[in-house]
Amino acid sequence: MNIVYTPLHKKHNPKWEIFDEEKVPYAEVPERIEQIVKELKKQGMGESIIPPQEFSQRYIQYVHQQHYIDYLQRISKKEAKKRKDGYFTTFFINDLCAPVVPPTYDTAVASVNCALTGARLLYKEKLVYALCRPPGHHAEKNRMGGYCYFNNAAIAANYLSQNGKVAILDIDFHHGNGTQQIFYERADVLYVSLHIDPKIGFPYTAGLADEEGSGKGKGFNKNFPLPLGTNEDTYMKTLQQAIRLVKSYKPTTLVISCGFDTYEKDPIGGFKLSIPFYEKMARAIMSLDFPTLVVQEGGYNVDDLGKIAYSFVKGLEE
Ligand code: Q9C
Ligand code: ZN
């Protein structure tokens, strides 16, 4: 298995987000990815870690509006420099959980490059893990939000769709409203997600079971909203349903939007999954036997993220 990683992500380091009018410490911290890398190295996987390649901006343009891309670049390089707490934009945004700091644009591009490098590698490798940061699945065509600026998994899936149908399985605690929106009218990319019921959790505005896609995309979007406190038994049964859907779609490649905020001790999650359970999840997913790109999304228990990721990786590699 190849692991794509760059230390560039560390520069994107906002201190606060604003949630329900309150300024709260930013959960999406650089230590998240650093802890994962540290544990994978400790487990002898250091040799598998490779840096991302550079890609043309057009791969981002296929998914995000040019006007949005340019706006994010401009506020990173100009307006954000004058703010100590990061710049909370009024435009192109869904919530106040995506502050822009001066390095945000460049690190968001580097994060996309990790996902695209992984996608390109899938032509010769069976399995790649892209350690993307900032995460991406809340980023819509022209809106940032929920710690996300560019939609890494969507950009990679769109790249892979040149070569055949792609399935995206999103196992982050939160619904990937951005990924759903981007592919909502497309039949050549299936989006399947397990997440906290949006009636009770972020992102609130999308992720209900009756959102099934529209136009040509009708039937190619599937949401499994789950209650707060979901346990391993319910989660595995639901994951098996999701896996069956992916299997019957017969994609050429599979992209996993992989969040570890479903962990029982995640500070912003609310499911009850234990560290050893991630190995079982990965094994269930790998039973599909498609070339698979794992894209890092959320997961905020910095102390345990390394162990969670390693448990997942063990299941992937079996
Ligand atoms: N105090 C991802 O997992 N903030 N995004 C929630 C926490 C937004 C999550 C409030 C959560 C965004 C990629
Ligand atoms: Zn999440």
Side-chain angles (χ1 to χ4, degrees):
M1 177 175 84
N2 277 288
I3 300 161
V4 192
Y5 162 80
T6 168
L8 286 175
H9 77 87
K10 290 189 264 185
K11 293 189 181 158
H12 171 73
N13 193 11
K15 295 292 173 235
W16 311 99
E17 65 183 282
I18 300 172
F19 196 72
D20 287 345
E21 291 199 334
E22 257 184 273
K23 197 166 139 179
V24 294
Y26 205 60
E28 203 287 283
V29 293
E31 290 72 28
R32 300 176 49 245
I33 296 297
E34 292 307 295
Q35 288 296 332
I36 294 176
V37 167
K38 192 172 142 196
E39 181 67 23
L40 296 179
K41 281 185 178 163
K42 192 177 137 194
Q43 299 293 347
M45 303 181 74
E47 306 271 277
S48 315
I49 302 176
I50 57 162
Q53 299 166 312
E54 303 241 348
F55 285 79
S56 155
Q57 200 200 53
R58 72 173 185 277
Y59 296 107
I60 302 179
Q61 292 162 2
Y62 293 143
V63 163
H64 295 286
Q65 282 181 1
Q66 185 68 51
H67 191 28
Y68 167 66
I69 301 169
D70 293 343
Y71 180 82
L72 181 62
Q73 184 170 27
R74 200 195 77 215
I75 57 176
S76 295
K77 310 266 174 219
K78 294 208 178 97
E79 282 79 351
K81 298 220 157 105
K82 301 174 207 138
R83 310 287 164 110
K84 153 169 128 329
D85 282 346
Y87 187 77
F88 291 89
T89 89
T90 313
F91 308 106
F92 301 107
I93 195 153
N94 272 332
D95 51 61
L96 296 179
C97 309
V100 177
V101 291
T104 297
Y105 175 79
D106 290 341
T107 53
V109 169
S111 190
V112 167
N113 286 339
C114 287
L116 283 170
T117 301
R120 183 182 275 164
L121 268 171
L122 271 202
Y123 293 125
K124 52 178 181 143
E125 303 277 343
K126 196 79 200 279
L127 176 65
V128 185
Y129 185 9
L131 286 173
C132 295
R133 183 180 174 272
H137 75 154
H138 297 303
E140 298 181 353
K141 289 175 184 171
N142 64 354
R143 267 187 283 270
M144 60 195 104
Y147 314 147
C148 303
Y149 305 86
F150 294 138
N151 196 317
N152 309 308
I155 294 165
N158 183 66
Y159 174 95
L160 289 164
S161 74
Q162 301 169 96
N163 243 51
K165 294 190 294 180
V166 181
I168 303 172
L169 176 60
D170 191 329
I171 55 170
D172 187 276
F173 175 74
H174 306 97
H175 177 250
N177 56 292
T179 315
Q180 168 170 303
Q181 183 226 29
I182 288 159
F183 297 114
Y184 209 63
E185 303 197 353
R186 284 173 60 169
D188 62 330
V189 179
L190 172 74
Y191 179 68
V192 182
S193 178
L194 281 68
H195 49 264
I196 185 68
D197 188 336
K199 285 179 180 156
I200 47 177
F202 188 89
Y204 302 105
T205 52
L208 298 170
D210 66 0
E211 296 161 15
E212 296 180 325
S214 67
K216 279 191 198 140
K218 192 153 175 68
F220 298 99
N221 192 89
K222 180 70 185 176
N223 288 325
F224 293 98
L226 296 163
L228 206 61
T230 292
N231 62 21
E232 294 179 351
D233 193 48
T234 307
Y235 196 89
M236 187 50 84
K237 283 185 181 133
T238 314
L239 182 63
Q240 295 293 2
Q241 284 186 60
I243 286 171
R244 279 198 291 278
L245 277 175
V246 170
K247 190 175 183 155
S248 57
Y249 182 68
K250 298 190 176 70
T252 306
T253 48
L254 173 63
V255 175
I256 308 294
S257 255
C258 181
F260 298 135
D261 36 11
T262 47
Y263 175 49
E264 57 191 349
K265 293 183 207 155
D266 190 275
I268 71 169
F271 290 169
K272 293 189 171 148
L273 312 188
S274 67
I275 293 173
F277 185 72
Y278 287 87
E279 187 176 343
K280 294 185 189 146
M281 283 166 66
R283 216 182 293 131
I285 293 166
M286 291 316 280
S287 73
L288 282 165
D289 205 30
F290 297 122
T292 301
L293 172 65
V294 178
V295 175
Q296 190 65 47
E297 300 285 359
Y300 306 98
N301 186 316
V302 170
D303 292 341
D304 292 347
L305 267 178
K307 288 191 206 91
I308 303 169
Y310 181 59
S311 171
F312 195 75
V313 164
K314 274 189 288 181
L316 289 175
E317 288 204 306
E318 262 174 39

